[in-house]
């Protein structure tokens, strides 16, 4: 039975991936420092005999290498995903994304593991000139520290594959929605509307165009592509896939769906401009033909994904509470 190591196991995407891996018959070792993840997301996984949860930090090379011993495949999902506030703590993206990825790669190399799946981002394309944006689109100037840190991570993974005979799956996500969603515009709007239902403050002018993907579709795509061993047939042992839907929406569209689910008609107060913050991309829409050619298609539209996320938040308002700083588990 294959043993899979998952960094960021208690996070939004990581915990959903853990559940799917266990359901497929894999043995899973989850690794997390719980800085942003929630142990509650692993409630079912912790009951599974094939799951082990280890508390640890990717910056602790010795502990990470030890925990990874005996594994066959590594999914590296742990990261600082705070795009908006990157300029307020520029070292965080470097430490938690770039340096941490180097430590994961060193642990993989030390343990003789040959395969890695990496959660990258559509932000690596910056403000792309080609829309929809394909995987082979030239990278423009990077506009966010988060995107830049992921570009660096991708580059190191590619070099390790070439230098040490590894195989990698790099997944460039759009924004992900669905159960266990804990940060992003929907939760921001939901919290605002809970506090003052008659007014919603919106960054930008509401015309920003974004693409989204439901977490169930995201996890299905990851497992479908890795199951087909696409990286083994790829040049240099690296397979890169955009993950998203074949559509996009405006911020105004999303506001309408959110407010519709909440039964509210607030006044909208826009900050102005075509973006919400430094590094915000006013138009993200990825070309997903390559992953579709692998036989995967998303099941949820953006509207349905937004609405499902609102429903989940309504039923799980405990996620608004700040996670404990230090939580122990085994």
């Amino acid at each position: 039975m294959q043993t899979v190591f998952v960094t960021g196991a208690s996070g939004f995407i990581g915990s959903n991936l853990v559940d799917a891996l266990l359901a497929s018959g894999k043995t899973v070792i989850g690794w997390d420092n719980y800085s942003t993840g929630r142990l509650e997301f692993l409630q079912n996984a912790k009951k599974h005999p094939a799951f082990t949860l280890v508390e640890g930090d990717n910056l602790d090379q010795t502990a990470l290498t030890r925990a990874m011993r005996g594994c066959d495949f590594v999914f590296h999902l742990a990261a600082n995903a705070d795009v908006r506030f990157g300029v307020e703590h520029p070292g965080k993206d470097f430490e938690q994304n770039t340096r941490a990825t180097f430590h994961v790669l060193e642990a993989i190399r030390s343990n003789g593991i040959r395969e890695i799946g990496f959660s990258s981002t559509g932000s690596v394309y910056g403000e792309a000139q080609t829309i929809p944006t394909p995987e082979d689109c030239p990278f423009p100037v990077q506009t966010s520290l988060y995107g830049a840190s992921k570009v660096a991570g991708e580059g190191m993974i590619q070099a390790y594959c070439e230098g040490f005979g590894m195989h990698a799956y790099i997944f460039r996500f759009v924004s992900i929605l669905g159960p266990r969603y804990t940060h992003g515009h929907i939760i921001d709007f939901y919290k605002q509307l809970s506090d003052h239902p008659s007014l919603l403050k919106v960054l930008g002018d509401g015309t920003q165009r974004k693409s989204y993907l439901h977490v169930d579709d995201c996890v299905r795509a990851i497992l479908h592509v890795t199951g087909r061993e696409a990286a083994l047939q790829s040049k240099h042992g690296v397979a890169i896939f955009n993950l998203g839907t074949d559509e996009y929406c405006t911020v105004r569209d999303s506001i309408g769906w959110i407010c519709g689910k909440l039964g509210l008609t607030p006044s909208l107060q826009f900050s102005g401009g075509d973006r919400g913050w430094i590094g915000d991309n006013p138009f993200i829409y990825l070309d997903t033909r390559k992953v579709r050619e692998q036989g995967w298609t998303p099941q949820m539209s953006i509207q349905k994904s937004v609405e499902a996320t609102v429903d989940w938040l309504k039923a799980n308002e405990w996620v608004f509470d700040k996670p404990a700083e230090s939580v122990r588990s085994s």
Side-chain angles (χ1 to χ4, degrees):
M1 182 182 295
Q2 188 181 49
T3 300
V4 180
F5 191 89
V6 180
T7 74
S10 72
F12 169 33
I13 302 173
S15 62
N16 279 283
L17 178 61
V18 165
D19 286 345
L21 287 167
L22 291 170
S24 70
K26 301 292 192 295
T27 296
V28 180
I29 297 176
W31 170 266
D32 209 307
N33 65 1
Y34 314 125
S35 59
T36 57
R38 305 299 293 258
L39 279 172
E40 293 89 342
F41 294 164
L42 293 172
Q43 191 170 31
N44 291 331
K46 287 171 67 177
K47 300 174 185 177
H48 200 291
F51 180 66
T52 302
L53 180 60
V54 182
E55 180 176 4
D57 195 300
N58 286 332
L59 298 180
D60 185 343
Q61 183 72 72
T62 301
L64 177 63
T65 303
R66 182 172 58 247
M68 205 180 283
R69 189 172 299 142
C71 292
D72 304 297
F73 193 111
V74 174
F75 281 109
H76 177 33
L77 275 63
N80 170 49
D82 181 8
V83 183
R84 178 177 167 189
F85 295 106
V87 294
E88 295 182 12
H89 41 66
K92 184 178 286 188
D93 285 309
F94 173 73
E95 292 292 335
Q96 296 185 11
N97 297 352
T98 306
R99 185 187 294 277
T101 297
F102 166 70
H103 285 182
V104 169
L105 287 167
E106 276 295 281
I108 289 173
R109 183 175 69 87
S110 296
N111 282 295
I113 300 168
R114 288 288 176 260
E115 292 186 280
I116 178 175
F118 180 59
S119 60
S120 189
T121 170
S123 295
V124 299
Y125 297 116
E127 296 183 20
Q129 298 301 305
T130 304
I131 302 290
T133 310
E135 289 86 352
D136 58 0
C137 179
F139 283 3
V141 171
Q142 292 299 310
T143 56
S144 76
L145 291 168
Y146 170 69
S149 71
K150 287 292 190 176
V151 170
E154 286 194 17
M156 285 193 297
I157 289 169
Q158 292 163 10
Y160 266 70
C161 287
E162 187 73 12
F164 303 109
M166 299 177 185
H167 295 93
Y169 301 85
I170 294 174
F171 299 101
R172 295 173 180 163
F173 302 155
V174 294
S175 294
I176 307 300
L177 304 177
R180 304 174 188 168
Y181 171 91
T182 55
H183 77 277
H185 81 287
I186 298 179
I187 203 165
D188 292 342
F189 290 168
Y190 187 100
K191 290 166 71 174
Q192 276 197 63
L193 293 168
S194 295
D195 294 337
H196 37 80
S198 62
L199 175 66
L200 181 63
K201 295 181 179 180
V202 184
L203 297 175
D205 59 10
T207 64
Q208 301 100 305
R209 293 166 289 181
K210 308 285 186 176
S211 190
Y212 300 93
L213 181 67
H214 194 278
V215 68
D216 290 347
D217 285 329
C218 176
V219 168
R220 279 197 310 103
I222 290 171
L223 296 184
H224 180 79
V225 168
T226 54
R228 287 174 59 90
E229 300 184 329
L232 275 64
Q233 288 81 46
S234 298
K235 188 175 182 180
H236 304 294
V238 179
I240 301 174
F241 293 96
N242 288 338
L243 297 187
T245 52
D246 195 21
E247 59 177 338
Y248 59 86
C249 69
T250 67
V251 172
R252 282 184 177 271
D253 291 330
S254 188
I255 291 171
W257 300 328
I258 294 166
C259 291
K261 291 297 291 185
L262 297 176
L264 299 174
T265 54
S267 298
L268 305 181
Q269 184 179 103
F270 296 97
S271 66
D274 66 349
R275 66 200 66 211
W277 56 85
I278 296 173
D280 183 25
N281 189 337
F283 193 8
I284 296 178
Y285 179 32
L286 304 184
D287 186 333
T288 58
R289 284 177 294 181
K290 184 176 178 181
V291 70
R292 289 168 184 269
E293 289 171 357
Q294 293 286 316
W296 169 88
T297 56
Q299 302 299 309
M300 296 278 282
S301 68
I302 291 178
Q303 179 176 350
K304 293 298 183 184
S305 297
V306 169
E307 293 173 342
T309 304
V310 174
D311 287 339
W312 187 84
L313 291 173
K314 288 168 68 176
N316 295 274
E317 291 193 344
W318 58 267
V319 297
F320 300 138
D321 298 329
K322 185 179 179 181
E325 291 296 328
S326 179
V327 185
R328 297 288 170 181
S329 183
S330 60

